[in-house]
Amino acid sequence: MGAELMSEVEGTVQGHRDGHGFLVRDDRQPDLYLSPQEMRAVLHRDRVKARIIRYDRKGRPEGRILEILERKKAPIIGRLLHESGIWLVAPEDKRYGQDIMVPKNAIANATAGQVVAIELTEPPSLYSQPMGRVTEVLGEIDDPGMEIEIAVRKYEVPHRFSPETLAQAATLPDKIRPADRKHRIDLTDVPLVTIDGEDARDFDDAVYCEPAKVGRAKGWRLVVAIADVSHYVKPGEPLDDDAYERATSVYFPRRVIPMLPEKLSNGLCSLNPNEDRLAMVCDMLITATGEIHAYQFYPAVICSHARFTYTEVAAILANTRGPEAARRNDLVPDLLNLNEVYRALLKERAKRGAVDFETTETQIVCDENGRIEKIVPRTRTEAHKLIEEAMLAANVCSADFIALAEHPSLYRVHEGPTPEKKTLLQNYLKSLAIGLSVSDDPKPGEYQAIAAATKDRPDALQIHTMLLRSMQQAIYTGTNAGHFGLAYDAYTHFTSPIRRYPDLLVHRVIKALLHGKRYHLSSGAIEDAPKVRKGAKPPKPAGTEAETWEAAGAHCSANERRADEASRDVEAWLKCRYMREHLGEEYGGTVSAVTNFGLFVQLDGLYVEGLVHITELGGEYYRFDEVKQELRGERTGVRYVVGARVRVQVSRVDLDGRKIDFRMVRDGEEDAALIRARRDRLVGKANGAVAELTAVKEADRAVKASTKSRGRNSSGTAKSAHPVRAAKASARKTSAKAVRRR
C-alpha cells in the first residue's frame, strides 16, 4: 500500500450529490476518494490524472487532481432558474455537484423553470463556477414523456437518425422484390408463426415444429426463422453506421428508441403475419432427449401464418378445447409439437445443469399522460419459456457453426464467479449450514442444485439472490469463454438482429461461411477464405482484425449497459413520481437487499423499492455481517435478512435523486415479542433452560424487592405468601402473551 503512495493514476471522475467524488481508475484498482475541495475544479465524467496523497484508517486511497485530460462534450441537462437577477442551470444529474451560470444573452428562448440542455463555455475552477449557454429547450418538467427526453440526453443515447440514414431508409422498398428471392429456399408454405408480447411491434423470429425421425428414433424438426436484416443493412452505409452507434434498441414505458428506422424495424424486416419476408433460417433435428442432433443454416423467403401472443399460446396449451384454441384450430397441432420439443429441450437443460432462477419481472402501465397507472408482475408463462428454449437452441447452433469454422465473431460470454465472489458465496453457504456449497472450480450444476434444494426454505429469496450476485455480468467479446449460467461451451446471439447489433454481425459471419468466404469486420469486406491444406487449421485473424472484434464487443457491451441504465433511470423517476402521491401511507413489504447502511424493501402489490436507513431501525447499534448478509441488533439480537417481512411507511421521496425512503412502523413491544417467539421456535429445549434460569433470577429479585418493601409498605395491603412462586407465574404469563401475540 505504501509503495503506491504519491504514485500517479488516470481515470474518470464520478461525482457524488454530497459534494465529494471518486476517481474510477483506468487500471481497475480501488477508486480514489476526491474531497469536495478537489471536486470544485472538475465535473462529473471528466478524465483526469491524479496523485495518491494518503490512505484513511480503512486503507482507502485519497487523491489530488494534477491535470484534466479530457472534458465530456455532451450537453448537461437541467432546469433553468432565475435567482436574484442571476440565471443558472441546476443539473438534473446531481453528481455534477454545482450549478452552471448562464449569461442573460445565452438563455435562448427558455423561461425560468424549463428543462434545458446546456453546453459549457467556461469550465469550473477553484474560485469560480462553470459558465454555459442553452443549446436546446426540452420543455416543462411536467410535460408527458419529459423523463425520457432527459434520460436519452443524460446517458447520451443516440435518438435521432442522421439525414443520410433516413434518406437511405426511404429508398428501400415496402415489400420484397423478385431479385431478393434469388438463391433462397422458399418456405412460404411452412406454417411458421411469431409468438411475442401484446405490445410488441417488431417481430424478429418465427418458429415451426413437426415430428421427425432422428436415426430410427422419434424426434422433431425445429425451424427458427430470423429476420434477414443483413440483406438490407450493409457495412459502411449510413444505416449501418447509425445501427453500430446505437448497438441496441432502448425500451422505455410507452416508447422505444429503435436501433433501425421504423421502415425496417416495424416494416420490411419485421416478420409481420401474411407478408413474405426474407429470413435466415436455423433448421434443426432434435432428439427425444433434447439433444441437437444436426442443424443447417440457409437464407429463405418465409411467410408468417399467424401473430400469436404469449398469453394466447399459454391458454391454448393449457386447454386445447378452449375458445383460444377454437379460433386457431388449424395451427394447434403445430403449437403442441412446439410444446413437445420444448419439454425435450428442458430435460437437456436440466441435464446440463443450466442455472434457472424464477424471478419476478414487472411492467409499468402508464396512462395517456405518461404517468404510472399501475405496476404489474410480468407473468412468465410456458409460452415464454417455449420461445426462450427455441431461441437458445438457434443461438447455440450459430456459435457452434462459427467456432467449428474458426471464424472470428462476437460471442455472448458469461463467466463464473471471480475468486473474491466465490469465497464470499462459500462462506455465506457455510454459515447457513445447509450442507451444500460450491467447489473451488464451480460448475453451473452446483448452483442449480443449491437453488433446487433451497427453493422451499423461508430464506430461499436471500439464497437465490446471493447465487445470482456471485456471478459476473454477461458481455460480448471476440474470445469464446463459454456461457456459465446456461452451461454452454459456446454461445452467441443470432435471434434478434432488428434490435441488437451483435446479432447482425453474427448473421454476416454465417452468410460469409455459407458461401465459403470470410467476413472482415475492420473493412466490411467479404473475401474468399484462404486455401487451407486438408487437416490443417485455418490461419488466425491478424492482430488488428482480432482487436477490431474485441473493440466491437466492448462497444456493444457498454451500450447495452447504457440502455439498461437509461431505462432504469426512467422507471425510477416514474416510481418516485407515483410514490409522491402515497407519502405517509403504510405498506407490508419484503427486504430485497441488506447493506451496511440499511435495508432495501420492496412493497407488496406496488413492486416499488425504497430504503429503510439504518438510523430508522430503532434505538440501538446494528452490525452488518457480510458473510451472513444480515443486520443484527447488538442489544436485542434482532436480525434483518433478505426475504424478511416488514411493515413500513413512505417517509420521503427525492425525485431528483430517484430515491424513496421508508421508516419502520412496527412498535418496540411487538418487535420484542417477535424476537422471543423466534428464539423459542429456533432454540427449542436449549431456550427452556435459559428461560428457567431467567425465571429464577427474576424470582430472586422479586424476593429481595418484597423484603425491602415490607418496611415501607404501611398501607396494610395483602402480600403474597410465596413471592418466588408469584414471580415464576408472572414470567410464565409474559412468555405466553408473547407467543399469543406472534
Side-chain angles (χ1 to χ4, degrees):
M1 188 169 78
E4 207 182 19
L5 195 65
M6 304 306 289
S7 63
E8 295 179 5
V9 296
E10 293 182 4
T12 304
V13 172
Q14 190 170 76
H16 191 280
R17 57 190 294 119
D18 291 343
H20 61 270
F22 298 92
L23 182 71
V24 181
R25 293 168 59 168
D26 292 346
D27 59 10
R28 297 188 177 183
Q29 293 302 305
D31 297 349
L32 262 64
Y33 172 80
L34 300 172
S35 68
Q37 176 73 5
E38 289 295 316
M39 289 295 293
R40 283 181 65 83
V42 293
L43 285 173
H44 172 60
R45 302 176 73 211
D46 283 351
R47 278 194 44 75
V48 302
K49 181 187 285 185
R51 176 177 289 138
I52 300 171
I53 55 169
R54 67 172 69 90
Y55 288 86
D56 68 10
R57 283 179 304 173
K58 292 186 177 178
R60 294 173 297 195
E62 185 176 335
R64 176 168 295 149
I65 291 166
L66 303 174
E67 182 188 348
I68 295 162
L69 303 173
E70 182 193 348
R71 289 200 184 276
K72 273 283 182 185
K73 298 283 192 294
I76 297 168
I77 311 302
R79 289 181 78 178
L80 184 65
L81 306 174
H82 194 215
E83 295 177 355
S84 309
I86 297 169
W87 290 94
L88 50 89
V89 168
E92 197 279 335
D93 189 340
K94 296 304 173 192
R95 290 176 296 182
Y96 278 101
Q98 47 189 317
D99 295 341
I100 296 148
M101 312 279 285
V102 183
K104 189 180 177 182
N105 62 355
I107 65 167
N109 59 345
T111 56
Q114 286 189 309
V115 180
V116 297
I118 196 163
E119 179 184 86
L120 282 188
T121 53
E122 283 183 40
S125 73
L126 286 172
Y127 311 104
S128 64
Q129 276 181 272
M131 302 280 285
R133 66 182 187 88
V134 173
T135 56
E136 184 184 9
V137 181
L138 276 64
E140 305 296 334
I141 190 69
D142 289 326
D143 288 350
M146 180 53 69
E147 67 282 356
I148 296 172
E149 296 297 334
I150 291 170
V152 294
R153 290 162 178 81
K154 179 173 165 183
Y155 292 94
E156 296 179 70
V157 174
H159 56 287
R160 293 192 185 103
F161 288 108
S162 69
E164 295 81 8
T165 294
L166 294 173
Q168 188 189 350
T171 63
L172 293 170
D174 293 320
K175 296 182 182 294
I176 64 173
R177 298 160 297 197
D180 298 326
R181 296 175 183 266
K182 287 180 181 173
H183 312 298
R184 288 179 179 269
I185 293 175
D186 189 336
L187 294 186
T188 51
D189 60 332
V190 176
L192 287 144
V193 297
T194 62
I195 305 174
D196 293 274
E198 276 81 358
D199 52 354
R201 292 174 63 201
D202 54 348
F203 307 118
D204 285 293
D205 53 90
V207 290
Y208 168 74
C209 183
E210 65 184 17
K213 285 277 186 198
V214 180
R216 292 183 179 178
K218 176 195 168 189
W220 293 274
R221 177 193 179 198
L222 174 63
V223 180
V224 175
I226 305 298
D228 190 358
V229 176
S230 63
H231 182 82
Y232 301 103
V233 181
K234 305 288 187 188
E237 294 182 347
L239 269 172
D240 188 54
D241 292 342
D242 268 11
Y244 178 74
E245 187 191 7
R246 294 177 180 222
T248 179
S249 295
V250 187
Y251 294 86
F252 298 110
R254 299 203 330 145
R255 183 175 166 192
V256 177
I257 294 177
M259 184 178 84
L260 298 168
E262 201 167 317
K263 176 89 174 261
L264 285 162
S265 59
N266 296 347
L268 192 55
C269 289
S270 184
L271 307 182
N272 299 333
N274 306 312
E275 297 266 5
D276 283 3
R277 290 286 185 259
L278 304 183
M280 281 295 292
V281 170
C282 180
D283 199 334
M284 297 166 270
L285 279 179
I286 294 173
T287 67
T289 56
E291 288 179 25
I292 300 169
H293 177 75
Y295 63 81
Q296 61 176 330
F297 288 92
Y298 51 83
V301 180
I302 70 151
C303 179
S304 168
H305 282 45
R307 181 266 201 263
F308 281 105
T309 66
Y310 291 121
T311 311
E312 197 179 0
V313 171
I316 291 169
L317 295 177
N319 182 8
T320 52
R321 295 183 179 180
E324 294 87 0
R327 281 198 297 274
R328 309 278 200 167
N329 202 34
D330 53 331
L331 293 170
V332 168
D334 298 340
L335 293 181
L336 293 175
N337 288 332
L338 278 167
N339 191 44
E340 283 191 26
V341 81
Y342 152 65
R343 296 283 171 196
L345 290 167
L346 214 54
K347 281 183 202 162
E348 170 60 19
R349 182 192 186 104
K351 189 174 155 191
R352 277 196 330 270
V355 183
D356 188 17
F357 297 129
E358 284 294 337
T359 54
T360 303
E361 288 185 23
T362 58
Q363 179 183 359
I364 291 177
V365 180
C366 294
D367 59 22
E368 60 275 7
N369 295 318
R371 300 284 176 259
I372 290 184
E373 202 171 82
K374 58 184 175 180
I375 302 169
V376 294
R378 204 187 282 269
T379 313
R380 193 160 165 257
T381 65
E382 289 297 286
H384 285 87
K385 296 174 187 176
L386 182 155
I387 288 297
E388 185 182 293
E389 285 300 328
M391 296 307 113
L392 291 178
N395 285 337
V396 166
C397 291
S398 61
D400 185 68
F401 186 61
I402 293 165
L404 285 174
E406 298 195 20
H407 192 298
S409 183
L410 281 190
Y411 291 91
R412 182 67 168 176
V413 167
H414 179 234
E415 296 193 74
T418 60
E420 298 80 14
K421 286 185 172 182
K422 179 193 69 189
T423 304
L424 184 65
L425 179 65
Q426 286 172 331
N427 291 338
Y428 167 72
L429 292 170
K430 194 175 176 183
S431 75
L432 292 178
I434 58 175
L436 287 169
S437 190
V438 293
S439 62
D440 287 335
D441 181 20
K443 299 287 184 286
E446 297 172 33
Y447 274 68
Q448 190 56 26
I450 295 165
T454 57
K455 69 179 191 300
D456 297 324
R457 283 174 58 115
D459 55 356
L461 175 62
Q462 181 183 10
I463 295 167
H464 292 187
T465 301
M466 285 297 291
L467 289 171
L468 273 172
R469 283 182 187 160
S470 75
M471 292 190 278
Q472 297 183 58
Q473 197 170 24
I475 59 166
Y476 295 106
T477 171
T479 309
N480 175 29
H483 197 293
F484 181 84
L486 295 170
Y488 288 130
D489 294 330
Y491 186 69
T492 192
H493 276 168
F494 163 79
T495 54
S496 294
I498 291 177
R499 59 188 179 89
R500 292 189 305 226
Y501 196 81
D503 303 53
L504 176 56
L505 290 177
V506 165
H507 276 231
R508 287 177 183 163
V509 170
I510 288 173
K511 272 191 177 175
L513 290 172
L514 289 176
H515 290 98
K517 297 181 183 291
R518 310 283 285 183
Y519 170 65
H520 293 278
L521 180 60
S522 47
S523 63
I526 293 176
E527 297 172 357
D528 289 333
K531 294 282 185 287
V532 180
R533 249 185 10 262
K534 194 173 181 181
K537 288 188 173 182
K540 288 190 174 177
T544 52
E545 182 70 9
E547 286 162 14
T548 305
W549 280 101
E550 283 302 330
H555 169 78
C556 292
S557 300
N559 285 12
E560 179 186 37
R561 285 194 296 274
R562 177 179 69 183
D564 288 343
E565 285 171 3
S567 298
R568 277 197 297 268
D569 189 74
V570 166
E571 289 191 10
W573 192 93
L574 287 168
K575 286 177 179 179
C576 285
R577 187 74 187 241
Y578 180 59
M579 290 310 292
R580 281 207 310 197
E581 297 163 18
H582 298 275
L583 274 169
E585 292 182 21
E586 293 180 11
Y587 297 93
T590 305
V591 175
S592 54
V594 181
T595 70
N596 59 355
F597 54 84
L599 315 168
F600 285 95
V601 175
Q602 188 180 75
L603 303 183
D604 298 345
L606 291 181
Y607 301 97
V608 169
E609 195 174 64
L611 174 70
V612 179
H613 196 266
I614 199 162
T615 54
E616 295 283 352
L617 291 178
E620 71 163 312
Y621 181 74
Y622 281 87
R623 189 180 293 280
F624 177 59
D625 187 327
E626 190 181 19
V627 171
K628 294 182 178 177
Q629 290 288 299
E630 69 176 23
L631 278 174
R632 182 188 287 270
E634 290 210 332
R635 182 171 50 82
T636 59
V638 77
R639 295 165 61 241
Y640 289 107
V641 295
V642 172
R645 298 285 304 150
V646 292
R647 188 156 186 82
V648 295
Q649 181 187 47
V650 183
S651 61
R652 181 173 169 268
V653 175
D654 175 6
L655 198 59
D656 290 338
R658 313 286 194 266
K659 289 177 181 173
I660 300 166
D661 288 337
F662 301 143
R663 68 164 65 97
M664 289 287 184
V665 295
R666 208 172 54 210
D667 62 36
E669 186 185 4
E670 190 179 348
D671 266 349
L674 281 167
I675 296 161
R676 278 196 294 273
R678 196 178 294 124
R679 282 180 181 167
D680 286 346
R681 192 172 65 248
L682 295 177
V683 182
K685 290 179 182 177
N687 194 52
V690 174
E692 195 70 38
L693 183 61
T694 305
V696 169
K697 284 179 180 175
E698 283 179 8
D700 191 40
R701 280 196 293 272
V703 170
K704 287 175 183 172
S706 175
T707 307
K708 280 182 186 175
S709 65
R710 274 182 195 148
R712 288 196 300 270
N713 191 346
S714 56
S715 61
T717 52
K719 298 180 185 65
S720 170
H722 298 283
V724 175
R725 240 178 271 158
K728 283 185 177 177
S730 172
R732 279 196 297 273
K733 278 180 191 170
T734 308
S735 176
K737 274 184 198 168
V739 172
R740 277 200 300 274
R741 200 175 275 124
R742 175 80 178 106

